Amino acid sequence: MAAAHAAAEHEHHGPPAPHYSSRVSPSVLGMFLFIASEIMLFGAFFTAYFFVRVVNGTPWPTPPFHLPVFVAGVNTAILVTSSFTMHWALQSIKRDNHNGLKAGMLLTFLLGLTFLVTQAREYSRIGFNTGDGAFATIFFCLTGLHGAHVFVGLTLLLFTTVRAFRGHFSSAHHHGVEIPGIYWHFVDAMWIVVYTTVYIL
Amino acid sequence: MRNPLRSEAEAYRFLWLTIVYFAAIVLASLVGGRWWGVGVFVLLTAVGAWLFLRREETGEMTREIPARRPADQKRILVVANETVGGQTLRETIRDKAAGGPSQVLVVTPALNSPLKYWVSDEDDARAAAQLRLDASLARLAADGISARGEVGDSEPLTALEDALRTFGADEIIISTHPEGRSHWLEQGLVTKARERFTVPITHVVVDLEAER
């Protein structure tokens, strides 16, 4: 016994004792670190946008092209509404209201899908393509990058919605709703930035 | 640095702040022209940075750091899955726990398929792990060993790390099947755990077929 203990003592290795230095649960912290890297990714595209539009002085939108500001505005309202329903879904499950969770998740998913389908339809009708100058390239890069994030968010929402209908969540266990919710709000916030800079200003 | 967004509720609030921020800039640009927009942008950004830094200074701790254990108490962390009820493992725990006050925490990783892992569908795996754990704790209690248990992450190293965050173990016991039948040994679990953790680690091989 003593020999075994001595052998075990000999096996001491490495790092200090673990602690909650971040004071946030590891899964939530992981999602925020992921979002930070995403902000850097979008930042690279916005830098390109800045150089094309401000430094080079490229007309925005470059004539004869036009941007569908109204349709994109309606799409923005749809996306912001989806954040509201997402928040409602989480608040519902925190109160053990399973019907509220199901309705909230289903509405969030459908609103997100509507946004993506509308954006795809606008792409097909917009009248220019990625090869039609720097303006068109940056437009498709920024909105397309955001659209890809909406697609990923919809995938997460789909999993969460299916799990909500299978009764996987409760007031004590709802990380599977909280984390996609954080991601979805991030996607919405990024769209506000994209819509304002690309379509409005 | 303190994480400014800790929950969905804070992310939701952040979204609304983003909307208000950009709406103000757009309104200023439309009403007063480009330089009004730039002015509002600079003003709101400065106010936002000031509020963030002020919050950073006055931020409160919301999670308690786990309390230190009594100095004379030995803490043993056991990680085992299918071998959790094995005779060899129970004997090892009994030997380690003998000779003074001790606490034993048994962690059973919830093994899951890769697809279910990626879609966070781990309820069945956790339920199965809980059943194995309950049976093991009952056997340990029958042997006179007081232990508590937790179902851990499907990845054993992560399960170990999670348990160490709340249970300041003096010693870790990792239980596996014999070489050739153990996925954990094939993945180099024991070696990796020894590289990663400062706590002494004992590897116990449980041959369930031989024990039957």
Side-chain angles (χ1 to χ4, degrees), chain A residues 11 13 15 32 163 178 185, chain B residues 5 8 120 194 196 198 201:
Chain A
E11 291 172 351
H13 296 276
F32 280 124
R163 294 192 65 201
E178 178 121 27
H185 294 321
Chain B
L5 302 173
E8 185 272 348
S120 303
R194 284 179 172 149
R196 187 180 294 190
T198 184
I201 293 172

Side-chain angles (χ1 to χ4, degrees), chain B residues 106-202:
Chain B
V106 182
V107 173
T108 307
L111 295 185
N112 210 353
S113 72
L115 176 64
K116 288 189 171 183
Y117 176 80
W118 282 109
V119 299
S120 303
D121 188 2
E122 57 181 24
D123 301 69
D124 292 342
R126 293 188 78 85
Q130 186 67 54
L131 281 176
R132 287 194 294 272
L133 182 62
D134 290 343
S136 168
L137 292 177
R139 285 190 193 175
L140 286 172
D143 288 352
I145 302 166
S146 173
R148 66 184 178 89
E150 286 177 5
V151 173
D153 190 271
S154 61
E155 209 280 304
L157 270 179
T158 308
L160 257 175
E161 197 164 334
D162 289 345
L164 281 171
R165 286 178 190 278
T166 53
F167 187 78
D170 296 301
E171 184 160 3
I172 297 172
I173 299 173
I174 298 176
S175 172
T176 68
H177 290 295
E179 188 88 41
R181 275 190 278 149
S182 168
H183 290 300
W184 286 3
L185 287 182
E186 195 178 322
Q187 293 163 2
L189 169 66
V190 179
T191 309
K192 287 178 184 170
R194 284 179 172 149
E195 285 169 359
R196 187 180 294 190
F197 305 117
T198 184
V199 183
I201 293 172
T202 302

Side-chain angles (χ1 to χ4, degrees), chain A residues 53-54 201, chain B residues 25 28-41:
Chain A
R53 188 170 178 181
V54 180
L201 290 177
Chain B
I25 293 170
S29 302
L30 292 177
V31 174
R34 177 186 295 178
W35 291 107
W36 273 90
V38 172
V40 169
F41 163 73

Side-chain angles (χ1 to χ4, degrees), chain A residues 1 4-5 8-9 11-16 18-20 23-26 28-29 32 80 83-84 86-87 90-91 159 163 166 168 178 181-182 185 188-189 192-193 196 200-201, chain B residues 3 5-9 11-12 14-16 18-19 22 26 29 61-64 66 74 95-96 98 119-123 164-166 171 194-202:
Chain A
M1 171 74 188
H5 191 70
E9 286 290 332
E11 291 172 351
H12 259 90
H13 296 276
H19 55 83
Y20 283 112
R23 301 183 192 106
V24 62
S25 83
V28 175
L29 180 62
F32 280 124
V80 170
S83 257
F84 172 77
M86 180 76 232
H87 186 64
L90 184 65
Q91 295 306 310
F159 291 149
R163 294 192 65 201
R166 291 178 68 182
H168 284 193
E178 178 121 27
I182 293 170
H185 294 321
D188 286 8
I192 299 298
V193 182
T196 308
I200 305 237
L201 290 177
Chain B
N3 191 331
L5 302 173
R6 302 189 202 190
S7 63
E8 185 272 348
Y12 182 64
F14 174 74
L15 169 68
W16 282 103
T18 306
I19 292 171
F22 279 96
V26 169
S29 302
M61 286 174 60
T62 55
R63 186 189 289 256
E64 288 182 12
K74 188 175 182 183
D95 288 348
K96 300 278 185 192
V119 299
S120 303
D121 188 2
E122 57 181 24
D123 301 69
L164 281 171
R165 286 178 190 278
T166 53
E171 184 160 3
R194 284 179 172 149
E195 285 169 359
R196 187 180 294 190
F197 305 117
T198 184
V199 183
I201 293 172
T202 302

Side-chain angles (χ1 to χ4, degrees), chain A residues 9-63:
Chain A
E9 286 290 332
H10 184 67
E11 291 172 351
H12 259 90
H13 296 276
H19 55 83
Y20 283 112
S21 60
S22 64
R23 301 183 192 106
V24 62
S25 83
S27 50
V28 175
L29 180 62
M31 179 53 80
F32 280 124
L33 289 174
F34 169 68
I35 287 174
S37 72
E38 290 288 292
I39 289 171
M40 290 179 218
L41 177 64
F42 272 97
F45 281 86
F46 275 109
T47 304
Y49 161 85
F50 178 79
F51 271 89
V52 168
R53 188 170 178 181
V54 180
V55 178
N56 281 356
T58 305
W60 197 273
T62 305

